[in-house]
Every structure is written in C-alpha cells, then in structure tokens.
C-alpha cells in the first residue's frame, strides 16, 4: 500500500537523484587534484589555476537562491533535466577549453547547472516519501556529495594524472548518466507548490541566530578550502609530486569525510549540535596548526588526511542540524542558505589560499586555515550560546529539535 513512498521504485528514484549530486560533488571538488596539470597545460600559475575553483563556487553560492526563485513554478522534472543538461554541456566545454579565459567561462556555466540541480533534487526527495522519512530521503540524495568526496575526487585525480581533460570527460559522463537515468525513470513528480520570492528566501538572515550560523559555515569552509584547494602544493614534500601518492591522500581524505559525516550525526543525536560544533572546531584547529609538520612525510600526511576531514565534516553536519533546528518549519530555506554560505566560503578560499601562499610560502600557508578556524570557533561559541532563562525559569533549547539526518 505504501510502496509508492517507501518501496523499490522510490529507492531507485532517490539513488538516481544521488547520482546527480555525485556528479556535481565530483565536479566541485576534483579540481584540487588536477590544478598543477591545468596550470602547466594553460601556462598559468598554480594560484591562477586555483581561481577556477573560486569562479565555480562563487557562481554557485550567488546563483542558487536566484535560480530557485526563477524556476520555482517549473515542473520539477523539467528543472532537474535542464540543470543536468546545462551541467553536462558545461563540463564537456571545460574539457575542450583552449584557454584560461574560456575555462573560467565554462566553470560559470557548470555552476549554473549545479546550483539549479542540488536544491531541486533535495526538494524532490522530500516529495517522494512520507513526512517522517524526509530526513532520510535527503540523506540519500546528499550522500552523493559525500561519496563524491570519498570516491569521485580520488578517481578523477587518478584518471587525470597525465591529462586533466580526461577528468573533465569523466565528470561529463557522470552528468550524462544521471540525465539519462532521470529522463527514463523519473516521471510523474508532484508539481511544485507556489515558490518563495528571493526576498522571502533571504529574509531569515535578519535573525541573528541564522546569520551567525551562516557566518560560521562560511568561515569553516573558508578555513578548510584555503588548504584543500592547494592540497597538491601543501602535500608536495610528502608526495614528491607523484600523482598516485596524491590520489591515495585524497582517497583517505574522502573516506574520512564520509566517516566524519556519520560520526557528526551520531554525536549530535547524543549531545546536541553546540558541543559537537565547538569540540570539532577545536580538534580541527589543532590538526590544522600541525600541518606544516604533518604534511612533510607520507605516513604523517596519511594520518593528517584522515583526521582533519573527520573533524571538519563532523562540524558540517552539526551546523546543518543547528540551523534547521532554529525554525523547523523553514528548514528547507535555512538549509539552502547554509549551502550558499558553504559555496561562498569555498569561493573566497581561492583568494585567501593564493594570498597566504604569497605571504607565507609553500610550507606555512596552511597556517592561514588554522587562523580562520580559530575565528570560526569564536563565532560559533558566541552565536550558539543557549538563551538566558526567562522570568519563569524556562529555557527553550533549539539544538535538540532536529535530527542531523535532516
């Protein structure tokens, strides 16, 4: 009787949606492994190549709420297929880009597809299942991003170890596979409800708690990506420039990211978001501060590549749970703001990483990530404090209202 909600067909639909987020996640993060090859091929500096990540992330962060508003009344199937078509076309053009300027333009186009796809896929997931299963449905779809971190990035780095364009053809193929699967098997989706205006989507930022949560997300991913975008450079003493060794480090990092997401979810269930956010921020800060030494040899770099994402992605899960708990009725809008803050942090990291390299050199630039995490920790501590007791002595603690799977 409930097969349309929880049976095989729904599971297949969710997995197809996750295939799309896997493609998007791989595209957004795989550049870290192939930047030196892009720089060499196009005769640009490594820091200039890093701006390829900046352009994609900045475009995503700005365009996601705009595109959600513009396409709010489109049939969901049309929005998903349009997004994947644009995304796939853009990545094929990236693979063919003859110059740096053209490459940047194709990354903007890829971000258009990604920024339309991911929020739409999450919204569709919630319509395919009963209300009590929505959190798990979103977890399946967003699982594509964590699997991209664990498998897509190291696979793409390995495939493109001699020619970065082969990596982009891999991403193109993933986008095409997701498009084909959704076109054939994802039909009869519920029509969208009346959409929110752009002003409505941004209005929660007037709440200091929401603004503080978004700022924390921005700073956390700014800290993480300041090092990650230039991970090839940071780990060169350990890898000796060998792409196979780099791929191994990225594989370990990706698996640890998945583990961090799971660990963060379990800890939030037990302790609530605030303790997890603060303790994981402190752990990440200590690990980041040690990177000028831990990234010098392969054994210690492997350990750092495992422990740092474990802490970082625990923070990410706890931040989403915290934000969604502030006003559960507006959770989808709040989570979309978190996503924009995340990508804007990634975008700014291209510049901060480049500046840190120029100021501190190849070994010490990673300390900028530690400094930014210290700032994020301070903001999190200030903006997640429980409210003072009311006159009646009651305190409402929002941190425990929502499961991290949501």
């Amino acid at each position: 009787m409930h097969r349309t909600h929880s049976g095989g067909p729904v599971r297949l639909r969710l997995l197809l949606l996750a295939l799309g987020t896997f493609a998007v996640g791989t595209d957004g993060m795989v550049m870290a492994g192939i930047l030196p090859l892009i720089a060499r091929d196009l005769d640009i500096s490594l820091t200039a190549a890093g701006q390829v990540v900046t352009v994609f992330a900045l475009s995503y962060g700005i365009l996601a709420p705009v595109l959600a508003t513009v396409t709010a009344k489109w049939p969901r199937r049309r929005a998903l297929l349009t997004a994947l078509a644009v995304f796939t076309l853009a990545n094929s053009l990236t693979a063919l880009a003859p110059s740096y300027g053209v490459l940047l333009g194709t990354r903007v186009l890829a971000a258009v597809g990604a920024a339309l796809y991911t929020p739409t896929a999450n919204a569709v997931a919630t319509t395919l299942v009963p209300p009590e299963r929505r959190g798990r449905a979103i977890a399946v779809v967003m699982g594509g991003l964590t699997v991209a971190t664990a498998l897509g990035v190291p696979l793409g780095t390995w495939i493109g170890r001699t020619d970065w364009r082969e990596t982009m053809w891999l991403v193109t193929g993933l986008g095409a596979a997701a498009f084909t699967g959704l076109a054939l098997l994802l039909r009869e989706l519920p029509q969208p409800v009346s959409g929110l205006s752009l002003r409505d989507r941004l209005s929660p930022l007037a709440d200091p708690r929401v603004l503080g949560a978004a700022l924390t997300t921005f700073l956390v991913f700014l800290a993480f990506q300041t090092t990650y975008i230039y991970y090839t450079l940071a780990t060169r003493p350990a890898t000796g420039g060998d792409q196979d060794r780099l791929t191994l480090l990225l594989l370990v990092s990706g698996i640890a990211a998945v583990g961090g997401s799971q660990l963060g979810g379990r800890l939030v269930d037990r302790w609530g978001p605030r303790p997890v956010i603060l303790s994981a921020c402190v752990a990440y800060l200590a690990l980041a501060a040690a990177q000028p030494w831990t990234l010098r040899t392969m054994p210690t770099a492997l350990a750092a590549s495992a422990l740092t994402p474990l802490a970082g992605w625990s923070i990410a899960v706890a931040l989403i749970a915290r934000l969604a708990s502030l006003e559960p009725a507006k959770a989808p809008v709040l989570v979309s703001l978190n996503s924009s803050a995340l990508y804007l942090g990634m975008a700014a990291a291209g510049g901060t990483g480049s500046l840190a390299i120029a100021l501190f050199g190849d070994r010490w630039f990673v300390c900028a990530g530690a400094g930014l995490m210290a700032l994020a920790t301070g903001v999190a501590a200030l903006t997640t404090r429980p409210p003072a007791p009311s006159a009646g002595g009651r305190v409402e603690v929002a941190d425990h209202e929502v499961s991290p799977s949501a």
Side-chain angles (χ1 to χ4, degrees):
M1 178 177 177
H2 297 288
R3 184 171 176 76
T4 55
H5 286 305
S6 57
V10 167
R11 184 71 177 178
L12 176 60
R13 288 178 168 196
L14 293 175
L15 290 174
L16 287 170
L17 293 171
L19 178 59
T21 56
F22 175 76
V24 169
T26 300
D27 189 32
M29 293 179 285
V30 76
M31 289 293 180
I34 59 174
L35 284 185
L37 299 175
I38 294 175
R40 190 181 312 134
D41 182 37
L42 299 180
D43 194 24
I44 56 177
S45 68
L46 183 65
T47 53
Q51 304 317 304
V52 172
V53 178
T54 298
V55 166
F56 178 90
L58 180 62
S59 300
Y60 185 112
I62 293 174
L63 290 173
V66 176
L67 290 172
T69 303
V70 171
T71 64
K73 295 185 179 180
W74 286 19
R76 296 298 82 186
R77 184 172 183 270
R78 184 206 298 176
L80 288 169
L81 294 180
T82 299
L84 286 174
V86 171
F87 175 82
T88 303
L89 172 63
N91 278 285
S92 66
L93 295 176
T94 296
L96 297 170
S99 66
Y100 181 57
V102 173
L103 177 62
L104 292 178
T106 65
R107 301 317 295 152
V108 173
L109 188 61
V112 171
L116 176 57
Y117 180 82
T118 304
T120 305
N122 280 317
V124 167
T126 64
T127 67
L128 296 177
V129 296
E132 66 271 14
R133 296 183 62 86
R134 286 176 181 171
R136 278 167 283 185
I138 292 174
V140 171
V141 175
M142 296 307 290
L145 294 179
T146 55
V147 173
T149 307
L151 297 178
V153 173
L155 177 63
T157 301
W158 183 79
I159 287 177
R161 62 193 183 280
T162 57
D163 184 356
W164 65 271
R165 297 177 190 272
E166 293 182 6
T167 299
M168 303 319 300
W169 285 120
L170 168 67
V171 177
T172 301
L174 291 173
F179 177 92
T180 302
L182 293 180
L184 293 176
L185 299 173
L186 198 69
R187 298 183 180 275
E188 299 179 1
L189 293 175
Q191 291 298 309
V193 296
S194 57
L196 297 173
S197 68
L198 182 59
R199 182 177 180 178
D200 290 336
R201 292 179 183 277
L202 299 179
S203 63
L205 292 174
D207 183 338
R209 299 173 305 164
V210 175
L211 183 60
L215 179 59
T216 304
T217 296
F218 172 83
L219 289 171
V220 165
F221 278 86
L222 176 61
F224 180 73
Q225 291 291 324
T226 290
T227 298
Y228 187 76
I229 291 174
Y230 299 105
Y231 207 57
T232 302
L233 180 63
T235 59
R236 187 171 290 165
T239 65
D242 183 81
Q243 283 293 111
D244 289 337
R245 287 189 170 194
L246 176 64
T247 298
L248 177 59
L249 291 179
L250 292 173
L251 177 61
V252 169
S253 178
I255 293 172
V258 176
S261 296
Q262 296 298 315
L263 176 63
R266 291 179 180 274
L267 293 178
V268 168
D269 273 346
R270 178 173 297 181
W271 297 338
R274 187 174 196 267
V276 177
I277 292 170
L278 296 181
S279 59
C281 279
V282 171
Y284 184 99
L285 174 56
L287 290 164
Q291 284 180 337
W293 296 273
T294 58
L295 298 183
R296 304 296 288 178
T297 69
M298 198 63 186
T300 53
L302 283 168
S305 296
L307 294 175
T308 308
L310 196 66
W313 284 92
S314 294
I315 303 169
V317 170
L319 285 169
I320 294 173
R322 161 70 182 170
L323 193 58
S325 73
L326 295 177
E327 198 167 348
K330 294 184 178 179
V333 175
L334 296 177
V335 172
S336 71
L337 289 173
N338 185 78
S339 180
S340 288
L342 185 159
Y343 274 93
L344 290 174
M346 290 175 61
T352 56
S354 176
L355 179 62
I357 291 169
L359 292 176
F360 306 121
D362 296 358
R363 178 175 182 177
W364 300 101
F365 84 92
V366 294
C367 291
L372 289 165
M373 184 56 72
L375 181 59
T377 304
V379 171
L382 289 173
T383 59
T384 61
R385 287 183 299 183
S390 64
R394 294 183 58 191
V395 177
E396 293 184 7
V397 181
D399 284 354
H400 296 274
E401 291 178 6
V402 173
S403 164
S405 64

